[in-house]
Amino acid sequence: MREFLRTKGFKMTQQRELIFRSFFELGEHISVDELYEKVRKLDRSVGYSTVWRNLKLICRVGLAQEVNLGDGVTRYDRVTRAPHGHLYCVKCKKLTEINIAAAIDPLQTLSRQNKFVPEGYKIEVQGYCESCQKERDKESRGRKTH
Amino acid sequence: MREFLRTKGFKMTQQRELIFRSFFELGEHISVDELYEKVRKLDRSVGYSTVWRNLKLICRVGLAQEVNLGDGVTRYDRVTRAPHGHLYCVKCKKLTEINIAAAIDPLQTLSRQNKFVPEGYKIEVQGYCESCQKERDKESRGRKTH
DNA sequence: ATGGATGCAAAGCCTTTGCAAGCTT
DNA sequence: AAGCTTGCAAAGGCTTTGCATCCAT
């Protein structure tokens, strides 16, 4: 890792190592806050912006990718060999990962037709998870503008 | 429209009509600011929050959907019969709409397998548009943490 | 009248950045 | 030494909300 970063012009520091380690130990869809919490448990002296900047760095060197579920918080997904998408329950916010290989195929074709070079895919299916399907009707009866 | 809203418990007002009209006249991927600008040209007295709340309302009654491209701004897409996805150039931020019917198919299958009831799809392909492909290499040479 | 709708100003929240000091290389 | 990093505090930038007032029904 240290080598990997060096070749890209970055240095390895104690905090950086802690942050990288923590990030990869956590699951997917990690937010800055979540990672910050985890890191703080191991080293109370690490600053929030350091975590934030390192998360950005992880993305910059291609080890992770930002994910935006529209809840106002940017999350980060480790880039794995298997690209995945999400089933996002709009009621309970639960996320379920799905393999999107089958969906990527037609997208590559479309990209080609538009002379577009794809680098990544964000696929999200919004809807209701099994346990929230019953609540669905109530939901649509909301009122008030705010 | 007035009727439609009434059945859902909302009233029609002068501002609301202006906002709704403007929204549907504009293209896709409209941000609150953009809509606000357009509305202000027609009526300087309309407030920002009114535009914001009405955009939310349009979504709530199912006429539009929030789109999040990860640039920190929430955009709104009119819900049309034909669902579409986007080719998002990470360099120039250009958006190109694509028909995602072919990609939805496998996603529905996956949803079914997870006992998930899909309501909408967000599909975004990140990459480089034709004119930005040459810049691609330079881009990856970025340095500095911030 | 009644309750939703509006405008303004003020919060809220998360994301970024300026700086001076501290560490790798 | 040179330059990337870090922490802290302060900005930013967009999204929400409190409230008193206004307006549609």
Side-chain angles (χ1 to χ4, degrees), chain A residues 12-23:
Chain A
M12 178 51 87
T13 65
Q14 198 180 133
Q15 297 94 321
R16 179 109 86 203
E17 186 176 343
L18 178 57
I19 294 170
F20 274 48
R21 254 190 225 300
S22 299
F23 175 70

PDB file of all heavy atoms in Angstrom, chain A residues 12-23:
ATOM      1  N   MET A  12       2.784   7.926   3.179  1.00  0.00           N
ATOM      2  CA  MET A  12       2.002   7.130   4.119  1.00  0.00           C
ATOM      3  C   MET A  12       2.259   7.694   5.503  1.00  0.00           C
ATOM      4  O   MET A  12       3.400   7.939   5.874  1.00  0.00           O
ATOM      5  CB  MET A  12       2.438   5.670   4.068  1.00  0.00           C
ATOM      6  CG  MET A  12       1.690   4.780   5.056  1.00  0.00           C
ATOM      7  SD  MET A  12      -0.097   4.972   4.955  1.00  0.00           S
ATOM      8  CE  MET A  12      -0.489   3.788   3.673  1.00  0.00           C
ATOM      9  N   THR A  13       1.203   7.908   6.235  1.00  0.00           N
ATOM     10  CA  THR A  13       1.353   8.435   7.592  1.00  0.00           C
ATOM     11  C   THR A  13       0.604   7.505   8.526  1.00  0.00           C
ATOM     12  O   THR A  13      -0.159   6.647   8.081  1.00  0.00           O
ATOM     13  CB  THR A  13       0.732   9.834   7.714  1.00  0.00           C
ATOM     14  OG1 THR A  13      -0.676   9.730   7.517  1.00  0.00           O
ATOM     15  CG2 THR A  13       1.329  10.774   6.706  1.00  0.00           C
ATOM     16  N   GLN A  14       0.822   7.727   9.789  1.00  0.00           N
ATOM     17  CA  GLN A  14       0.180   6.891  10.795  1.00  0.00           C
ATOM     18  C   GLN A  14      -1.348   6.981  10.669  1.00  0.00           C
ATOM     19  O   GLN A  14      -2.049   5.985  10.644  1.00  0.00           O
ATOM     20  CB  GLN A  14       0.616   7.407  12.171  1.00  0.00           C
ATOM     21  CG  GLN A  14       0.412   6.433  13.289  1.00  0.00           C
ATOM     22  CD  GLN A  14       0.884   7.039  14.609  1.00  0.00           C
ATOM     23  OE1 GLN A  14       0.197   6.983  15.622  1.00  0.00           O
ATOM     24  NE2 GLN A  14       2.058   7.666  14.572  1.00  0.00           N
ATOM     25  N   GLN A  15      -1.820   8.229  10.574  1.00  0.00           N
ATOM     26  CA  GLN A  15      -3.265   8.419  10.470  1.00  0.00           C
ATOM     27  C   GLN A  15      -3.819   7.788   9.202  1.00  0.00           C
ATOM     28  O   GLN A  15      -4.856   7.157   9.195  1.00  0.00           O
ATOM     29  CB  GLN A  15      -3.608   9.913  10.445  1.00  0.00           C
ATOM     30  CG  GLN A  15      -3.238  10.653  11.699  1.00  0.00           C
ATOM     31  CD  GLN A  15      -1.864  11.304  11.595  1.00  0.00           C
ATOM     32  OE1 GLN A  15      -0.929  10.719  11.018  1.00  0.00           O
ATOM     33  NE2 GLN A  15      -1.722  12.486  12.145  1.00  0.00           N
ATOM     34  N   ARG A  16      -3.082   8.013   8.132  1.00  0.00           N
ATOM     35  CA  ARG A  16      -3.538   7.485   6.855  1.00  0.00           C
ATOM     36  C   ARG A  16      -3.682   5.970   6.906  1.00  0.00           C
ATOM     37  O   ARG A  16      -4.660   5.419   6.412  1.00  0.00           O
ATOM     38  CB  ARG A  16      -2.528   7.885   5.771  1.00  0.00           C
ATOM     39  CG  ARG A  16      -2.851   7.384   4.397  1.00  0.00           C
ATOM     40  CD  ARG A  16      -3.281   8.527   3.490  1.00  0.00           C
ATOM     41  NE  ARG A  16      -2.151   9.155   2.893  1.00  0.00           N
ATOM     42  CZ  ARG A  16      -2.130  10.404   2.428  1.00  0.00           C
ATOM     43  NH1 ARG A  16      -3.181  11.166   2.544  1.00  0.00           N
ATOM     44  NH2 ARG A  16      -1.068  10.880   1.877  1.00  0.00           N
ATOM     45  N   GLU A  17      -2.727   5.355   7.517  1.00  0.00           N
ATOM     46  CA  GLU A  17      -2.786   3.896   7.571  1.00  0.00           C
ATOM     47  C   GLU A  17      -3.994   3.451   8.380  1.00  0.00           C
ATOM     48  O   GLU A  17      -4.730   2.547   7.983  1.00  0.00           O
ATOM     49  CB  GLU A  17      -1.509   3.339   8.210  1.00  0.00           C
ATOM     50  CG  GLU A  17      -1.482   1.821   8.153  1.00  0.00           C
ATOM     51  CD  GLU A  17      -0.176   1.243   8.686  1.00  0.00           C
ATOM     52  OE1 GLU A  17       0.813   2.004   8.791  1.00  0.00           O
ATOM     53  OE2 GLU A  17      -0.164   0.049   8.996  1.00  0.00           O
ATOM     54  N   LEU A  18      -4.192   4.124   9.489  1.00  0.00           N
ATOM     55  CA  LEU A  18      -5.332   3.791  10.338  1.00  0.00           C
ATOM     56  C   LEU A  18      -6.647   3.970   9.586  1.00  0.00           C
ATOM     57  O   LEU A  18      -7.546   3.142   9.651  1.00  0.00           O
ATOM     58  CB  LEU A  18      -5.305   4.698  11.571  1.00  0.00           C
ATOM     59  CG  LEU A  18      -6.445   4.544  12.571  1.00  0.00           C
ATOM     60  CD1 LEU A  18      -6.505   3.108  13.067  1.00  0.00           C
ATOM     61  CD2 LEU A  18      -6.231   5.499  13.730  1.00  0.00           C
ATOM     62  N   ILE A  19      -6.737   5.076   8.861  1.00  0.00           N
ATOM     63  CA  ILE A  19      -7.959   5.359   8.120  1.00  0.00           C
ATOM     64  C   ILE A  19      -8.185   4.350   6.995  1.00  0.00           C
ATOM     65  O   ILE A  19      -9.284   3.837   6.812  1.00  0.00           O
ATOM     66  CB  ILE A  19      -7.899   6.791   7.535  1.00  0.00           C
ATOM     67  CG1 ILE A  19      -7.910   7.794   8.692  1.00  0.00           C
ATOM     68  CG2 ILE A  19      -9.075   7.040   6.606  1.00  0.00           C
ATOM     69  CD1 ILE A  19      -7.620   9.225   8.296  1.00  0.00           C
ATOM     70  N   PHE A  20      -7.142   4.063   6.259  1.00  0.00           N
ATOM     71  CA  PHE A  20      -7.285   3.099   5.168  1.00  0.00           C
ATOM     72  C   PHE A  20      -7.717   1.738   5.711  1.00  0.00           C
ATOM     73  O   PHE A  20      -8.635   1.111   5.214  1.00  0.00           O
ATOM     74  CB  PHE A  20      -5.948   2.949   4.413  1.00  0.00           C
ATOM     75  CG  PHE A  20      -5.755   3.972   3.324  1.00  0.00           C
ATOM     76  CD1 PHE A  20      -5.993   5.328   3.560  1.00  0.00           C
ATOM     77  CD2 PHE A  20      -5.330   3.572   2.051  1.00  0.00           C
ATOM     78  CE1 PHE A  20      -5.797   6.275   2.532  1.00  0.00           C
ATOM     79  CE2 PHE A  20      -5.140   4.508   1.036  1.00  0.00           C
ATOM     80  CZ  PHE A  20      -5.366   5.857   1.280  1.00  0.00           C
ATOM     81  N   ARG A  21      -7.021   1.313   6.761  1.00  0.00           N
ATOM     82  CA  ARG A  21      -7.344   0.026   7.358  1.00  0.00           C
ATOM     83  C   ARG A  21      -8.807  -0.020   7.785  1.00  0.00           C
ATOM     84  O   ARG A  21      -9.532  -0.952   7.461  1.00  0.00           O
ATOM     85  CB  ARG A  21      -6.494  -0.180   8.612  1.00  0.00           C
ATOM     86  CG  ARG A  21      -5.384  -1.164   8.438  1.00  0.00           C
ATOM     87  CD  ARG A  21      -4.763  -1.493   9.795  1.00  0.00           C
ATOM     88  NE  ARG A  21      -3.297  -1.487   9.742  1.00  0.00           N
ATOM     89  CZ  ARG A  21      -2.598  -2.284   8.944  1.00  0.00           C
ATOM     90  NH1 ARG A  21      -3.192  -3.120   8.119  1.00  0.00           N
ATOM     91  NH2 ARG A  21      -1.282  -2.232   8.941  1.00  0.00           N
ATOM     92  N   SER A  22      -9.196   0.987   8.517  1.00  0.00           N
ATOM     93  CA  SER A  22     -10.566   1.035   9.017  1.00  0.00           C
ATOM     94  C   SER A  22     -11.578   1.010   7.882  1.00  0.00           C
ATOM     95  O   SER A  22     -12.601   0.340   7.956  1.00  0.00           O
ATOM     96  CB  SER A  22     -10.784   2.301   9.850  1.00  0.00           C
ATOM     97  OG  SER A  22      -9.919   2.295  10.970  1.00  0.00           O
ATOM     98  N   PHE A  23     -11.269   1.758   6.847  1.00  0.00           N
ATOM     99  CA  PHE A  23     -12.205   1.797   5.720  1.00  0.00           C
ATOM    100  C   PHE A  23     -12.403   0.416   5.113  1.00  0.00           C
ATOM    101  O   PHE A  23     -13.520  -0.019   4.863  1.00  0.00           O
ATOM    102  CB  PHE A  23     -11.707   2.760   4.639  1.00  0.00           C
ATOM    103  CG  PHE A  23     -12.576   2.747   3.407  1.00  0.00           C
ATOM    104  CD1 PHE A  23     -13.860   3.287   3.463  1.00  0.00           C
ATOM    105  CD2 PHE A  23     -12.131   2.181   2.217  1.00  0.00           C
ATOM    106  CE1 PHE A  23     -14.693   3.262   2.347  1.00  0.00           C
ATOM    107  CE2 PHE A  23     -12.961   2.150   1.094  1.00  0.00           C
ATOM    108  CZ  PHE A  23     -14.238   2.697   1.170  1.00  0.00           C
TER     109      PHE A  23
END
